Amino acid sequence: MELKIPYNKIRMNIEIPDENFQGVLESDPAGCRMEGTEQEIVERALDNPIGSQSLEELVKGKKSMVIISSDHTRPVPSHVTMPILLRRIREANPEIDITILIATGFHRATTHEELVQKYGEKIVAEEKIIVHDSRDDAGMADLGTLPSGGALKLNRIAIDTDLLIAEGFIESHFFAGFSGGRKSILPGIASATTVMANHCSEFIASPYARTGILKNNPIHRDMLYAAQQAKLAFILNVVIDAEKKVIGAFAGDSEQAHVTGCEFVLKMAEVKANPSDIVVTTNGGYPLDQNIYQSVKGMTAAEANCKEGGVIIMVSACNDGHGGQSFYENLRDAASPRALLERIAKVPRNETIPDQWEMQILARILDKFTVIMVTDMCSPEMIKEMHMEHAATFQEALQRAFEIKGNNASVTVIPDGVSVIVRTA
C-alpha cells in the first residue's frame, strides 16, 4: 500500500506491506461543503442567524461594540469574514464605535505584520485593533468565580462595551472538544490566572476532556459559563478545509450557533475506530507540525485508535523544536511519563504552571504507547530526552515498530490527525 501524507510543506510517500495494512481514517470535507463561494456562505449564515436576532438588529441603538477575533495561531480566514461583518454593522449603525480585540489567550502578542497578513492593510490601518494580554492584571475585570472554583477575570474592554460579538472557526479540539464559540472568551480574552485554572490537571485527566466531546466536559463547562458572564451576544464561526477555505458558516446565539457548527464538523470529521497495533499519524503538515508541542494534537487521534502497548508513528517536521521550554524541561527531567503524571495530578487547580496541560497529555500517551517521531528537521537527542524514539525516515520507523510489535502487527494510517474525531463506540 502506497500513500502520501503531509510533512512540513511537502507530501511524504510511505509504503506499508499489504498484509499489515488495516485501513485509512480521514475526514470528508468535500461531502459536507455548503454551496457557494466563501463570501456567499458567510453572508447566508448572517442572513439566517441561529437562535438570535440578526446582527443588524443587535447593533441598532448601540454606541460601542467589540468584535473578538482569533489570533495568529488560528487559521481563521478573517480577510473574508471581517470585511463582511464591518460592512453589515456600519450599514445598520454608521456611528457605532467598533473595537477589534485579538483573542491571544495565553499566547504571545500578535505582531503588526501578522495582523496585516490576517486582515489586509486597509483594516489594520483604519480600524481600532487591540491585542489582548493575559498577563495584564490591571486590564482585567473580575467577574467572580468559575463553576470549577477558579477566578474568572476577563479583558475589561470586552466587558465595558455595549455589545460583544466574536468571529472564529470550529474544528475538533483535543481537550475542549471543539474550538470556536465560547473559546473566544476563555481562553481567548481571559487572564492567565483564569486560563491556568481552566486547564488544570484534574480537568485534563477527565475522560470527557477529549476530541469531539462537549457533554460532561469540565473544560467546556467553565468556558460556557465565562461566555455567559461576558454577555457574548453573537458569533460568526466558520469551518474550513485543508486549503483554509470556508466550507461552512454558522452565525447567531453564541451557544446554539456553535453547537450547530460542531454538529457539522462532527459529521465531516467523525471516523469509526479501527484498533491497531501500529498507528501512523501526522499533524497535517505546515504550519501545525512545526514543533513537538503542537504535534501532541495529532498524537491524540492515534491514541484513540491504538491498542494499549502499541506504537504510534508521528510524522511531524518539528523544525522549530519542542515549542515550549516548560513543556520540554518537565518531560526531560521526569524519571518516566508515569512519574510526571503522578506529580502533575498533585498540582492544585490554582497552581497550574504554563504548558502543564500539554505535558500531561503527552505523558498520558507515552505511559501507554511507544511514540516514534519521524523527522529529519529536529534534534534526535531532544526527542529522546522527552521519552520518545526518533527515526529519520518513515521506513526506519516502521521497521522499528515491527521489531516492537512483531512482523504480523496491524497498521492503520491517519493522514491528518488534527482533522479527525476517532470514535471508539
Side-chain angles (χ1 to χ4, degrees), residues 113-241:
E113 292 73 20
E114 287 166 336
L115 290 175
V116 171
Q117 187 175 5
K118 186 174 182 62
Y119 301 106
E121 291 184 1
K122 187 175 188 293
I123 286 178
V124 174
E126 296 178 0
E127 300 295 336
K128 187 196 307 181
I129 300 177
I130 296 175
V131 180
H132 171 70
D133 180 359
S134 66
R135 295 164 182 81
D136 176 22
D137 286 339
M140 300 295 161
D142 190 337
L143 298 181
T145 307
L146 292 164
S148 62
L152 176 56
K153 296 181 180 181
L154 302 174
N155 193 300
R156 191 178 300 280
I157 293 165
I159 303 307
D160 291 345
T161 193
D162 291 342
L163 178 67
L164 181 63
I165 73 168
E167 65 142 15
F169 87 128
I170 304 174
E171 66 173 354
S172 58
H173 189 278
F174 66 134
F175 59 77
F178 294 89
S179 68
R182 73 286 183 246
K183 271 186 107 259
S184 292
I185 304 295
L186 172 58
I189 59 161
S191 76
T193 303
T194 300
V195 175
M196 295 298 171
N198 178 250
H199 290 20
C200 65
S201 62
E202 176 192 344
F203 285 4
I204 295 293
S206 167
Y208 300 105
R210 295 289 189 276
T211 305
I213 297 177
L214 295 181
K215 188 177 180 181
N216 298 323
N217 185 329
I219 293 171
H220 170 64
R221 190 184 305 125
D222 263 8
M223 291 175 173
L224 267 185
Y225 180 82
Q228 290 160 2
Q229 296 305 109
K231 296 182 172 61
L232 179 61
F234 189 93
I235 63 168
L236 169 62
N237 279 184
V238 299
V239 177
I240 58 176
D241 62 15

Side-chain angles (χ1 to χ4, degrees), residues 62-109:
K62 304 293 195 300
K63 291 182 179 179
S64 66
M65 72 177 295
V66 169
I67 305 173
I68 301 173
S69 184
S70 299
D71 73 356
H72 56 282
T73 67
R74 301 293 183 261
V76 180
S78 296
H79 61 283
V80 174
T81 53
M82 190 60 76
I84 294 173
L85 285 171
L86 293 172
R87 189 197 79 240
R88 293 178 74 129
I89 289 165
R90 291 201 171 106
E91 283 175 355
N93 186 346
E95 303 303 317
I96 196 165
D97 180 31
I98 302 172
T99 299
I100 298 172
L101 180 59
I102 308 300
T104 53
F106 195 62
H107 307 144
R108 66 162 172 82

Side-chain angles (χ1 to χ4, degrees), residues 404-422:
I404 296 169
K405 298 305 299 179
N407 290 332
N408 295 322
S410 55
V411 182
T412 291
V413 178
I414 306 176
D416 182 356
V418 184
S419 71
V420 297
I421 299 170
V422 181

